[in-house]
Amino acid sequence: MYAMWRLQVALCTLSVLSLSSGGESKARSCSEVRQAYNAKGFSLVNVPHQEISGEHLRVCPQGYTCCTSEMEDKLNQQSKLEFEKLVEESSHKMRTTFVSRHKKFDEFFLELLDNSEKSLNSMFTRTYGKLYMQNSEVFQDLFTELKRYYTGGNVNLEEMLNDFWSRLLERMFQLLNSQYHFTDDYLECVSKYTDQLKPFGDIPRKLKAQVTRAFIAARTFVQGLMVGREVANRVAKVNVAPACVKALTRMLYCPYCRGMPGLKPCPNYCHNVMRGCLANQADLDSEWNLFIDAMLLVADRLQGPSNIEAVIQPIDIKISDAIMTMQDNSMQVSAKVFQGCGQPKPSGIGRSVRGISDVFSGRFRPYTPEERPTTAAGTSLDRLVIDIKEKLKESKRFWSNLPDDICAKGKLTEPDEEQCWNSHTKGRYFPEVVKEGLTNQVNNPEVEVDITRPDTLIRQQIMALRVMTNKLKNAYNGNDIYFQDSSDEGSSSGSGSGCSDGCTTEFIFVGTEAPVIGADRSDERAAAAGKSVSCGPSVLLLTVALTLPLWAMQTQWR
């Protein structure tokens, strides 16, 4: 009887072992892994059909595995490529927003300026005829210099506008006193009386204030859009550290090695890996947010009293009004000039039969809404600026939110916390999620991050944003920046400093860095009047801003 019982136990045991062995045999199959691995574009040569011993693995758990060393290496590289693609795709919308809005604003402003010049040329030709055409270079030079300033040229707006009115006064004075002959020295004396006589009334002062504020805001704003674009493009091209690649492989592809290729990582597990891999990018966020806030401030200026449409479109009307004011005051102006500069010699020609009063008798009327020139942007300034502001606001906190956005929007994780990959098997992930930023990664359980070695490229972009933010704040207050050439002691330029002839905004910011500058100050502006610097030092400072680490960069600040 006892022998029979032992035989039954033995048979049951063998039956259980047989069933267990059959189950284990099925679990060790690597068919699903082979299928998923092949779908990634990898060859199935040397890929095991059943699990093998995993002592050779360097990243994934070393139990029984479906991965060879070669497979693990390939999946390691695949993890890096997929991560780079995820960051690129997640930032694509924000980056293209800066590209498209920069293009739209640039087109809008330049065509607005072109239309204003065409309008002035058309109206002045129709009103003043040959008299205008003989002196048209004075007005052409005005618009040429305004465009050159906007595109980054080394133009002092205040000096340029003062020079325009002085030249206009010289031409007008000769036309109004054509019975006299004036030497160059005499005309130079006439121009010295511009401020004292105020021959054009208060129009030059008001127009200078409006044009200066509007153009400073417009140029700085479009440069800000360009810097934002370039910084975003550079930061989106991530430098993936070896420790990050290891963590990504463990999260994305170690399930393959464990025979569970369809198993996605737990949400919190993904957050920790991404926050570790994007720790430096998150550190950009505070400076990025300050930059966006400064851009929004300048955008408000573009919609307010410095509205570039309100300044540029009626510029022909204002100049015409100034000419008429000069005409009305011509007798008093001439008398005071003759008194101060001396009585000129008669030219022997005499006045034209057609009185000069008739020549300058035309006054202009504003455009009707139907006649208003269209712009390349196909919209009004208000609508354009409102659109840009909305997009800028959407980009705030982008870099600190990027890790979580990748985990959530990339369909990367498994929402069921009991049916997800937790770094070694299927089950709940218990570690807490660390905060974003480099210093917080000291306790990251998934990615080994050296918090003592910040990424150099990210630090350079932080400096580029800091410089641009300073420039935007100056523009908001109506102040332009100036450059200090260290090789030329005391050499600086006032309002509108940039780069010499031929430079454009694209050239100046090709490396994303704004030139190293200081805030404008009234006493320094006065000392800087009439001086300028060449393109060379500006580009040199730009190169320094791109290549030196943060501690070296700080020495360039004022």
Side-chain angles (χ1 to χ4, degrees):
M1 189 73 177
Y2 176 74
M4 182 63 70
W5 177 79
R6 284 178 62 98
L7 179 60
Q8 287 178 336
V9 170
L11 287 172
C12 288
T13 302
L14 286 171
S15 177
V16 171
L17 288 173
S18 176
L19 289 171
S20 175
S21 175
E24 287 180 3
S25 177
K26 187 178 179 181
R28 291 195 188 105
S29 172
C30 295
S31 59
E32 288 184 21
V33 175
R34 286 171 59 85
Q35 186 178 354
Y37 188 72
N38 188 236
K40 292 288 180 181
F42 298 121
S43 169
L44 291 178
V45 176
N46 298 326
V47 176
H49 289 272
Q50 290 185 328
E51 288 184 333
I52 59 176
S53 178
E55 292 88 351
H56 56 276
L57 297 179
R58 291 175 295 173
V59 176
C60 297
Q62 292 184 332
Y64 282 100
T65 181
C66 286
C67 290
T68 63
S69 294
E70 182 183 0
M71 288 175 66
E72 190 181 45
D73 289 341
K74 287 183 178 179
L75 293 173
N76 207 48
Q77 184 62 24
Q78 183 69 16
S79 299
K80 179 178 182 293
L81 294 174
E82 289 185 9
F83 174 65
E84 290 171 342
K85 186 179 178 182
L86 280 169
V87 175
E88 193 91 10
E89 290 176 347
S90 297
S91 61
H92 177 75
K93 182 181 177 181
M94 187 266 288
R95 290 183 291 111
T96 53
T97 292
F98 274 90
V99 172
S100 61
R101 270 49 183 191
H102 170 266
K103 184 174 183 291
K104 245 184 176 182
F105 186 89
D106 203 43
E107 286 178 347
F108 183 97
F109 190 89
L110 288 173
E111 188 154 343
L112 192 65
L113 207 50
D114 282 340
N115 287 339
S116 181
E117 183 177 9
K118 289 174 185 175
S119 172
L120 184 144
N121 184 65
S122 174
M123 286 184 168
F124 276 46
T125 299
R126 188 169 64 248
T127 305
Y128 302 136
K130 186 177 179 181
L131 202 61
Y132 163 71
M133 296 173 70
Q134 291 172 340
N135 297 278
S136 61
E137 76 276 5
V138 175
F139 305 93
Q140 290 170 0
D141 289 349
L142 170 66
F143 284 96
T144 297
E145 290 300 286
L146 286 173
K147 288 176 189 173
R148 197 161 71 86
Y149 171 80
Y150 171 73
T151 55
N154 182 20
V155 178
N156 185 308
L157 277 179
E158 292 186 6
E159 289 181 6
M160 184 274 291
L161 290 168
N162 288 340
D163 183 61
F164 165 74
W165 291 111
S166 294
R167 291 178 68 192
L168 186 59
L169 172 60
E170 290 178 12
R171 301 295 177 96
M172 287 283 299
F173 189 79
Q174 290 179 84
L175 292 170
L176 291 166
N177 296 280
S178 57
Q179 70 273 31
Y180 296 107
H181 171 73
F182 299 102
T183 64
D184 290 342
D185 289 341
Y186 195 96
L187 291 175
E188 187 177 343
C189 178
V190 172
S191 65
K192 290 178 180 177
Y193 279 83
T194 305
D195 292 337
Q196 181 182 337
L197 297 176
K198 290 186 171 47
F200 302 108
D202 208 29
I203 295 172
R205 183 188 65 81
K206 290 181 178 178
L207 188 61
K208 180 166 67 175
Q210 292 171 342
V211 167
T212 299
R213 187 171 283 268
F215 271 74
I216 288 172
R219 180 170 90 156
T220 309
F221 189 71
V222 79
Q223 289 176 348
L225 289 172
M226 188 180 302
V227 168
R229 177 193 73 189
E230 295 301 323
V231 167
N233 282 338
R234 284 184 166 232
V235 176
K237 296 186 184 302
V238 288
N239 177 26
V240 191
C244 170
V245 176
K246 183 178 179 181
L248 289 166
T249 304
R250 189 183 298 115
M251 180 180 79
L252 297 173
Y253 288 113
C254 283
Y256 279 51
C257 297
R258 294 303 300 270
M260 300 177 284
L263 191 61
K264 292 183 177 181
C266 300
N268 286 353
Y269 177 29
C270 180
H271 292 325
N272 274 337
V273 172
M274 291 301 167
R275 289 187 178 192
C277 288
L278 295 169
N280 282 283
Q281 281 75 6
D283 277 357
L284 185 80
D285 209 53
S286 59
E287 203 63 52
W288 177 265
N289 292 336
L290 291 173
F291 161 72
I292 296 298
D293 287 340
M295 285 289 290
L296 292 170
L297 283 174
V298 176
D300 289 339
R301 280 278 185 257
L302 293 173
Q303 289 181 288
S306 299
N307 184 322
I308 51 179
E309 276 186 308
V311 172
I312 294 175
Q313 282 189 338
I315 201 168
D316 49 5
I317 310 288
K318 293 174 182 177
I319 293 175
S320 177
D321 286 344
I323 289 173
M324 297 308 299
T325 300
M326 170 79 178
Q327 162 66 18
D328 294 342
N329 299 325
S330 61
M331 296 296 290
Q332 300 95 310
V333 170
S334 296
K336 289 182 179 179
V337 168
F338 293 160
Q339 184 179 357
C341 298
Q343 188 70 25
K345 294 179 181 180
S347 63
I349 297 176
R351 278 181 178 268
S352 169
V353 175
R354 183 187 178 194
I356 200 73
S357 298
D358 296 331
V359 175
F360 291 113
S361 62
R363 286 185 182 270
F364 299 153
R365 60 181 174 80
Y367 280 115
T368 63
E370 293 76 20
E371 293 173 319
R372 174 171 288 189
T374 57
T375 66
T379 183
S380 70
L381 176 71
D382 282 343
R383 289 201 301 274
L384 179 59
V385 173
I386 288 170
D387 171 65
I388 294 174
K389 285 172 68 175
E390 287 176 355
K391 300 301 181 185
L392 288 172
K393 289 175 183 176
E394 289 175 7
S395 73
K396 286 195 73 172
R397 289 194 55 77
F398 176 82
W399 301 106
S400 60
N401 290 334
L402 182 59
D404 296 346
D405 287 345
I406 289 175
C407 291
K409 297 177 183 177
K411 298 179 180 178
L412 207 62
T413 60
E414 169 57 56
D416 187 341
E417 294 187 2
E418 299 294 342
Q419 300 295 317
C420 56
W421 175 252
N422 62 13
S423 81
H424 57 277
T425 189
K426 181 195 291 187
R428 181 179 291 273
Y429 181 77
F430 291 101
E432 291 185 2
V433 177
V434 297
K435 294 181 180 179
E436 66 272 359
L438 187 62
T439 56
N440 291 316
Q441 304 314 305
V442 67
N443 295 318
N444 192 314
E446 307 303 335
V447 189
E448 294 180 12
V449 181
D450 186 352
I451 65 170
T452 65
R453 299 185 64 184
D455 186 279
T456 303
L457 174 65
I458 300 296
R459 300 300 128 178
Q460 289 171 353
Q461 304 317 302
I462 288 173
M463 181 57 69
L465 291 173
R466 191 169 296 166
V467 170
M468 195 65 234
T469 300
N470 180 55
K471 195 174 181 183
L472 287 161
K473 288 178 179 178
N474 274 283
Y476 175 75
N477 292 322
N479 300 321
D480 208 353
I481 54 86
Y482 74 102
F483 293 98
Q484 182 71 46
D485 183 359
S486 58
S487 64
D488 184 7
E489 218 173 305
S491 175
S492 62
S493 65
S495 171
S497 299
C499 179
S500 61
D501 291 354
C503 293
T504 65
T505 47
E506 291 290 345
F507 174 76
I508 291 177
F509 292 96
V510 70
T512 80
E513 301 284 10
V516 179
I517 48 88
D520 209 1
R521 300 174 178 83
S522 57
D523 56 336
E524 290 174 337
R525 183 189 293 278
K531 299 181 182 179
S532 65
V533 293
S534 67
C535 190
S538 305
V539 177
L540 178 61
L541 287 173
L542 171 60
T543 305
V544 171
L546 278 168
T547 56
L548 289 183
L550 181 62
W551 62 268
M553 292 287 294
Q554 290 173 333
T555 62
Q556 300 290 334
W557 280 81
R558 289 189 58 85

